Amino acid sequence: GMDVERIFQKHVVDGPSYLFTNGSFSLDDEYEMRHEIAIATSTSINDVILVGSSKLGFSVKSEKFLRFDDKFLTTGIKKDKSDVDIALINRMHFENVAEDIYHLSRHFDKDWMREKWMTNQFHTQGTALFHEYSKYFTKGWLRPDFMPNEYLAAAAWPAICEKWRKRLDRKVAIGIYSNWTYLKHYHMDHLKKLQAKLETLEIV
């Protein structure tokens, strides 16, 4: 019966993280990781929060609301472990990253993009990365998996993600948001679907 926005604030923003309270790692480890990301991005630790199944213990973005590590527990394959998803919410950092990529790409020059932005370390086959980058940009969200390799190689925070990938033995991914509105409504939209399923007893 709780209002969805209150659920978002209580469990996604303020609540304890599933990964760091139900396993081999502690809340001090989470704090250390968030602190290092904040330092690398010149932001506040309050701008860095865990989201996704590593935070809640289940995914809100899927209609199935899969449990943390659900696929890995079935297959035993390391690559099927759930990611550690981190949201960085800071308008200045968002705008700085967007401007850096704008200038790096020669103001989205078609020849530059055709040569250097069809693949990256996340997508090894020709993909419309700029299209995906732009789609999420309009949602107030910069996704590193759609950024050009040249930018990722020069930024400071990918090295922190790699360090913690090795330490946690699972992928660490960052999403950069321009403000809390976009992050809040992304989660609230999915939480409303979850709430509806609970009310109709589709999930218990």
Side-chain angles (χ1 to χ4, degrees), residues 8 11-21 25-27 29-35 37 45-57 68 83-89 164 168 170 172-174 180 183 187:
F8 166 76
H11 295 287
V12 178
V13 180
D14 297 330
S17 298
Y18 179 86
L19 174 63
F20 292 98
T21 54
F25 304 100
S26 69
L27 292 176
D29 293 317
E30 178 186 353
Y31 182 89
E32 181 182 350
M33 180 177 67
R34 291 171 58 213
H35 174 73
I37 292 171
I45 191 171
N46 294 320
D47 297 332
V48 182
I49 66 169
L50 265 71
V51 293
S53 61
S54 63
K55 178 68 178 230
L56 298 174
F68 181 76
D83 294 350
V84 178
D85 293 315
I86 298 170
L88 171 60
I89 311 98
W164 282 91
L168 301 175
R170 62 182 70 241
V172 176
I174 291 182
W180 283 92
L183 178 71
H187 282 83

Side-chain angles (χ1 to χ4, degrees), residues 4 6 26 58 60 67 100 108-109 127 130 145 151 153 188:
V4 173
R6 287 178 59 198
S26 69
F58 63 93
V60 299
R67 295 173 302 162
D100 287 346
F108 304 137
D109 176 75
T127 309
F130 177 68
D145 53 330
Y151 175 78
M188 285 175 57

Side-chain angles (χ1 to χ4, degrees), residues 39-90:
I39 293 297
T41 54
S42 300
T43 58
S44 165
I45 191 171
N46 294 320
D47 297 332
V48 182
I49 66 169
L50 265 71
V51 293
S53 61
S54 63
K55 178 68 178 230
L56 298 174
F58 63 93
S59 173
V60 299
K61 73 178 181 179
S62 166
E63 288 297 316
K64 297 180 180 179
F65 299 99
L66 297 175
R67 295 173 302 162
F68 181 76
D69 270 350
D70 189 77
K71 188 174 182 181
F72 171 71
L73 293 172
T74 301
T75 67
I77 300 173
K78 183 176 177 179
K79 71 177 182 65
D80 289 336
K81 287 186 174 184
S82 297
D83 294 350
V84 178
D85 293 315
I86 298 170
L88 171 60
I89 311 98
N90 184 283

Side-chain angles (χ1 to χ4, degrees), residues 144-160:
D145 53 330
F146 297 131
M147 294 178 184
N149 272 340
E150 283 195 23
Y151 175 78
L152 295 172
W157 47 265
I160 305 301

